[in-house]
Amino acid sequence: MSLVLDPAAQDLLFREARTANTFTDEPVTDEQVQAIYDLVKYGPTAFNQSPLRITLVRSAEARERLVKHMAEGNQPKTATAPLVAILSADNEFHEELPQLMPHAPQIKDAFFSERPAREGAASLNAALQAAYFIVGVRAAGLAAGPMTGLDFEGVRKEFLDDDHTPLMVVNIGRPGPDAWFPRSPRLAYEQVVTTV
């Protein structure tokens, strides 16, 4: 059985998708970011929570503040990427649920009145949205460099607040020279899928 998605799109989004480590200096525009968001916002989350929050780092001053919180190996690429996004989970996402779930506004209090329940749900569902975001960057013809090598608490204190938990930093732009490390192996179907 073949996939419905065009083979070229399959390659763009998955088979040829790589984590970029260098970028050209071609800017990433607000219009491109808006187009990416307008596509990926439709990716499903539980109860339509949509807890992902995106902080775009553009100014030289903000970039300098971020780079100091990145692992040493991630600092040069974060310093030179045309655009950097801090992806975080909003632990107070439930405040938006009456708008996002107008047919079931009681869900806000029935499931998410306690902070620990919100934090767990926000982390999982924002991670789903982060994956959609990375695929959306690729769909825009750009390269993404997602990284978790960073001081999470430092990034939270520098850019967010106690209600937001950083998940990752994503460098975005057109791939530069030697942008790709060699492709690493993947697990075979039989190693992953079990039928019971």
Side-chain angles (χ1 to χ4, degrees), residues 111-176:
F111 291 96
F112 302 112
S113 61
E114 300 295 325
R115 177 74 179 229
R118 292 197 303 274
E119 288 178 351
S123 177
L124 173 61
N125 286 280
L128 283 173
Q129 289 186 284
Y132 301 147
F133 180 79
I134 293 166
V135 172
V137 168
R138 293 174 180 152
L142 299 169
M147 301 168 294
T148 56
L150 56 112
D151 173 3
F152 286 90
E153 184 61 14
V155 168
R156 187 193 63 74
K157 287 180 178 177
E158 192 82 42
F159 292 95
L160 306 171
D161 59 32
D162 289 341
D163 291 332
H164 293 79
T165 303
L167 301 172
M168 67 184 67
V169 168
V170 182
N171 294 326
I172 303 169
R174 302 261 180 218

Side-chain angles (χ1 to χ4, degrees), residues 5 31 38 49 57 59 63 69 82 85 109 115 135 140 175 181:
L5 190 65
E31 291 77 17
D38 285 342
Q49 294 171 24
V57 180
S59 72
R63 184 75 58 108
H69 296 293
D109 297 318
R115 177 74 179 229
V135 172
F181 294 146

Side-chain angles (χ1 to χ4, degrees), residues 26-43:
E26 181 180 336
V28 176
T29 67
D30 289 336
E31 291 77 17
Q32 287 172 302
V33 177
Q34 179 78 53
I36 292 165
Y37 176 73
D38 285 342
L39 174 66
V40 304
K41 68 183 179 185
Y42 293 109

Side-chain angles (χ1 to χ4, degrees), residues 9-145:
Q10 294 174 34
D11 289 342
L12 175 69
L13 300 179
F14 295 99
R15 291 191 197 100
E16 295 176 4
R18 309 290 290 280
T19 295
N21 294 288
T22 68
F23 298 89
T24 70
D25 59 3
E26 181 180 336
V28 176
T29 67
D30 289 336
E31 291 77 17
Q32 287 172 302
V33 177
Q34 179 78 53
I36 292 165
Y37 176 73
D38 285 342
L39 174 66
V40 304
K41 68 183 179 185
Y42 293 109
T45 57
F47 296 114
N48 199 30
Q49 294 171 24
S50 306
L52 181 70
R53 301 296 179 262
I54 303 166
T55 304
L56 299 177
V57 180
R58 285 200 184 276
S59 72
E61 180 269 334
R63 184 75 58 108
E64 187 176 317
R65 288 168 43 217
L66 176 60
V67 166
K68 70 181 181 183
H69 296 293
M70 302 303 295
E72 186 176 343
N74 291 334
Q75 289 179 356
K77 49 192 167 186
T78 303
T80 58
L83 180 64
V84 182
I86 301 169
L87 305 187
S88 63
D90 181 358
N91 296 306
E92 297 298 312
F93 69 87
H94 69 305
E95 296 296 343
E96 309 295 338
L97 285 178
Q99 172 190 342
L100 297 172
M101 293 282 291
H103 56 285
Q106 73 281 4
I107 286 174
K108 173 188 171 189
D109 297 318
F111 291 96
F112 302 112
S113 61
E114 300 295 325
R115 177 74 179 229
R118 292 197 303 274
E119 288 178 351
S123 177
L124 173 61
N125 286 280
L128 283 173
Q129 289 186 284
Y132 301 147
F133 180 79
I134 293 166
V135 172
V137 168
R138 293 174 180 152
L142 299 169

